[in-house]
Amino acid sequence: MQTEKPSYQPSQTKRPERIDRDSPSFRRLADLLIGAKIALALRAMAEYQIADKLAGGPKTVETLAAEIVLSEDVLRRTLRALAQYGVFAETADGKFENTDLSEYMRCDVEASLREAILFLNHEASLRAWLELEQSLKDGRSHFADANGASLFALIAEDAKLNEHFARCMANLYGPEAGKIASGYAFGQFRTMIDVGGGQGHIMTAILSAHKAPKATVFDLEPTVVMARKFLREKGFADRCNAVGGNFLVEVPSGYDAYILKSILHDWDDVQATKILQACRKAIPREGRLLIIEEVMVPRQSVGNPHRFIDLEMLVHFGGKERNAAEYSDLMTDAGFSLQRIVPIKDSFFSVIEGVPV
C-alpha cells in the first residue's frame, strides 16, 4: 500500500528561541485540539442525513432547515464551520453543497462513512473516551465503568446500536474483503467457519472468489438474524449458514479452516487466548487457524487510521493491535504454532496462519 510521509518534522533537541503562532505546525495542532468538536458536528450532520439531502445539488439553509425542521441559524453555522475543513461548501449565493468529502457521508454510496461517524461518536463511546486518562494510569478499558455494561452487552440489548456497529464494520472493512478473498488460497479448504463473522461480508467475498468451499458464519444470536438475511439476499444461503453462540465458551467443531477476521484485536491477551483455546478444542488435527488482522510494524505508516483504531480497541474493549511476536505468543499459549504470515496485496491486513500442536 502506498503511503504518504508525515508532513511534520521531529522537534529540535534545543528549544527554539521563539515559537511562531503563524507556523503550519501551530495551526495544525490548533485544528487537532478541536477534533472532537469536528467529529460531533459530523455526527449531527450524519444523523440528519444532510449529505443525502444535498445529493441533488446546492440548497439554501432555509430549504434544508424546513425539510428536517431544524434551526436555520444553528444549521448555517454548523455547515459553515465544517466547510472550513472541506466538509460541505458554501456557494457564492449563500447555498450549501456537497464536496468530495461529504459525499462519503451519504447513505447510498458503497464506501459510506456515515455509520462509522454515528457509531464512533455514540454517547457510550464518548463516555468511555473521557476515561482515557484513567486508562493511562491502570492500563485497562473503562467502557463498562462509564456505561454500566460492556459494549458487546449494549449491542446485544440495543438493536439500533447493533445495526450501526454492523454497518460501521462493513463500511470500514468492506473494501478489504475482495483483497483478502483473492490474496490467500482459501480454495484449498472444503469447509470454513468465520468465528465472529458478523453478517457475513468477508465470508461471502471468499465464497465468491473460491467456488469449492462451504462455510458457516458464527456470531451472537442478534447478529445471526441479520447474517441469515444477508446471506439469503446475496444468494449464498446454499453454501453458507449462520449459527449462534459465544466464542468465549465454545466454537463449532470439525471445520477445515477457522477464520478470525478483526476479532482478536477486540480483546486483551487473556480473553484472546481464551478465544483461541475454544478454537483449539474444535479444530481437527489437520485444520488451519487463519487470523486476519493488521500486523503492527514499528514506525510504519499504513495510510489509514489504524494507529488510532488501536486506541479505539483499548477504550471500547480493552483490546489492542499486535505485532508478529505477540500473535505468535498468543498462538503458543492456546496450543497452536504460527506457520507463516501472508500479507494481503494492497491492504493493511495479513493472514496469520497457525496449526494445532
Side-chain angles (χ1 to χ4, degrees):
M1 174 178 289
Q2 295 295 317
T3 59
E4 296 181 0
K5 293 182 179 180
S7 59
Y8 59 83
Q9 298 295 324
S11 179
Q12 299 175 12
T13 303
K14 183 179 178 181
R15 188 174 182 272
E17 293 292 328
R18 177 176 176 271
I19 295 178
D20 184 2
R21 287 178 173 80
D22 292 325
S23 72
S25 298
F26 181 92
R27 293 195 298 271
R28 175 61 174 153
L29 185 58
D31 285 341
L32 289 174
L33 71 87
I34 62 167
K37 283 76 173 181
I38 297 171
L40 290 176
L42 289 174
R43 170 185 151 177
M45 297 297 94
E47 187 69 49
Y48 290 111
Q49 299 182 15
I50 299 299
D52 293 272
K53 298 186 184 306
L54 292 175
K59 289 184 179 180
T60 65
V61 171
E62 291 78 10
T63 298
L64 277 173
E67 287 180 11
I68 324 169
V69 191
L70 300 177
S71 163
E72 291 182 14
D73 178 58
V74 177
L75 179 57
R76 177 180 291 104
R77 292 159 67 183
T78 304
L79 288 169
R80 186 175 61 199
L82 286 171
Q84 179 176 339
Y85 295 96
V87 184
F88 306 110
E90 188 172 6
T91 65
D93 56 356
K95 296 178 181 179
F96 284 90
E97 61 184 348
N98 278 336
T99 64
D100 53 352
L101 271 68
S102 58
E103 285 289 323
Y104 289 100
M105 294 175 64
R106 289 170 51 186
C107 298
D108 60 349
V109 297
E110 184 177 355
S112 175
L113 286 172
R114 178 178 182 267
E115 297 294 340
I117 291 169
L118 294 175
F119 176 73
L120 294 177
N121 293 290
H122 187 273
E123 289 86 346
S125 176
L126 299 177
R127 282 191 289 266
W129 266 96
L130 290 174
E131 300 299 322
L132 180 60
E133 292 181 26
Q134 185 59 39
S135 295
L136 283 166
K137 294 180 180 179
D138 59 26
R140 66 181 186 88
S141 169
H142 289 272
F143 186 98
D145 299 331
N147 291 287
S150 70
L151 176 57
F152 288 129
L154 293 183
I155 288 173
E157 296 171 359
D158 187 333
K160 185 176 181 180
L161 181 60
N162 188 18
E163 185 176 357
H164 281 320
F165 178 72
R167 289 181 176 177
C168 172
M169 295 300 101
N171 288 336
L172 284 178
Y173 296 122
E176 303 300 314
K179 300 174 186 177
I180 292 168
S182 61
Y184 181 84
F186 293 100
Q188 66 186 293
F189 305 113
R190 293 178 297 106
T191 60
M192 301 178 291
I193 182 168
D194 191 354
V195 179
Q199 294 187 62
H201 290 85
I202 292 296
M203 188 53 74
T204 55
I206 292 172
L207 294 177
S208 293
H210 305 274
K211 305 304 180 183
K214 292 191 175 182
T216 293
V217 172
F218 180 69
D219 213 306
L220 297 172
E221 285 293 347
T223 303
V224 166
V225 174
M226 293 189 293
R228 288 172 181 154
K229 180 175 182 290
F230 178 80
L231 292 169
R232 285 196 305 270
E233 291 174 348
K234 296 297 182 180
F236 285 96
D238 60 333
R239 294 181 62 200
C240 186
N241 66 330
V243 176
N246 185 343
F247 55 44
L248 288 168
V249 178
E250 186 177 19
V251 173
S253 62
Y255 292 84
D256 295 338
Y258 284 70
I259 299 171
L260 292 96
K261 159 68 173 62
S262 299
I263 297 298
L264 296 186
H265 73 166
D266 289 347
W267 303 89
D268 62 23
D269 289 348
V270 173
Q271 296 296 82
T273 300
K274 193 172 181 180
I275 295 168
L276 292 181
Q277 287 171 338
C279 292
R280 179 63 183 86
K281 290 178 182 178
I283 194 169
R285 187 68 184 173
E286 66 280 5
R288 288 290 184 273
L289 174 71
L290 306 176
I291 299 171
I292 304 174
E293 299 272 8
E294 177 185 358
V295 178
M296 299 284 276
V297 177
R299 296 178 59 82
Q300 181 186 53
S301 177
V302 292
N304 65 63
H306 257 66
R307 294 301 178 265
F308 249 82
I309 295 298
D310 181 31
L311 283 182
E312 291 282 3
M313 295 303 104
L314 165 69
V315 169
H316 284 93
F317 310 108
K320 61 187 293 188
E321 306 292 345
R322 295 176 172 90
N323 60 34
E326 290 170 322
Y327 278 115
S328 180
D329 289 343
L330 285 181
M331 285 187 173
T332 299
D333 291 343
F336 290 95
S337 174
L338 194 159
Q339 292 296 290
R340 59 175 181 154
I341 295 176
V342 181
I344 300 300
K345 184 179 178 181
D346 297 325
S347 175
F348 51 87
F349 281 113
S350 294
V351 177
I352 309 159
E353 183 181 293
V355 296
V357 295

